Structures are given as structure tokens and as C-alpha cells.
Amino acid sequence: MIDTDKYEGHLASGADERLPWCWSKWMLKNAETTEQYEATSELLHDAPLLLAEVKRLQMYEQEHKELRDIIADFSPKDSEEDNDTYQEWLDSVSQGYMGSVYEYVMMKQEEMIE
């Protein structure tokens, strides 16, 4: 997992801003093609957006970790509650539900939260 804390306080360039002269100078010196220069420029410009997406996905993963762990260990033989959930899932499948046990448990969990 990427440690995003090390990026706190970074400088973000806005959509209308040019890259700082030192980055442009470095890229001009090191880019082998115009396409490589432009791609590097876009990557540097979009870095804050990429960082925001990584953070969002890490938060989503953390929020769902507990439920994933429960479902990974799911066995109807483990407890009466698991057996009841399994039976509910079987009933819903017989009525046309096409999802897995995992999806069923996720759906039930979301209904309890709302």
C-alpha cells in the first residue's frame, strides 16, 4: 500500500498554471521525444488527482475490510447465524436473485446501515 502521508503539504498546480521552470527545464533536458515531454507534464499536473484517488480507494478498502474478513471466513457450519444467512440467500436465489453469498451479505449489511 502506498504511504500517502509523505505527500501531505505538496504543491498542487492548477489547471491554468504552467509547470515550474525547474521541472520544465529538467524535462526538456531529459525527454527523448515531444510525446514523452507532454506525457510527463500531464503526469506531474495530474499527480494531485492521482493522489486523491489513491486516498479514496484506500479509505474504501479500509471501510470494507471487516466485512471482507467476515465473508472470507463464512461457512454455514460455523454458527446458527451463518446458517440462517445461508438459508436466506438460498431462498432469494430460488426467487431469482443472481448474486453470490458475498454480494447478498453486502446488500444486507448496507440495508442495516441505512
Side-chain angles (χ1 to χ4, degrees):
M1 182 178 291
I2 296 174
D3 178 12
T4 59
D5 291 341
K6 64 184 175 185
Y7 304 122
E8 289 302 319
H10 65 83
L11 295 173
S13 62
D16 296 334
E17 296 177 22
R18 294 182 176 205
L19 291 173
W21 68 269
C22 59
W23 292 352
S24 294
K25 186 176 176 180
W26 177 84
M27 289 188 314
L28 282 171
K29 180 180 174 185
N30 292 290
E32 294 179 13
T33 64
T34 302
E35 291 80 13
Q36 189 178 39
Y37 175 89
E38 290 173 356
T40 304
S41 177
E42 290 295 326
L43 179 61
L44 289 170
H45 186 268
D46 288 347
L49 299 173
L50 297 168
L51 177 60
E53 181 64 7
V54 167
K55 287 181 176 183
R56 186 188 72 78
L57 291 171
Q58 286 177 346
M59 184 178 297
Y60 179 85
E61 181 181 26
Q62 188 61 35
E63 289 171 353
H64 291 84
K65 182 183 182 331
E66 182 180 334
L67 187 55
R68 277 196 325 269
D69 291 345
I70 291 169
I71 292 169
D73 296 332
F74 180 82
S75 170
K77 299 175 184 173
D78 288 344
S79 71
E80 190 172 315
E81 182 181 351
D82 287 349
N83 191 42
D84 291 345
T85 301
Y86 182 70
Q87 290 303 318
E88 289 174 17
W89 173 75
L90 284 176
D91 291 343
S92 67
V93 167
S94 69
Q95 296 172 15
Y97 180 73
M98 300 295 284
S100 67
V101 173
Y102 171 82
E103 293 166 332
Y104 182 79
V105 172
M106 288 285 287
M107 179 183 69
K108 287 297 188 181
Q109 183 74 17
E110 288 175 4
E111 288 175 5
M112 288 190 292
I113 292 172
E114 294 174 353

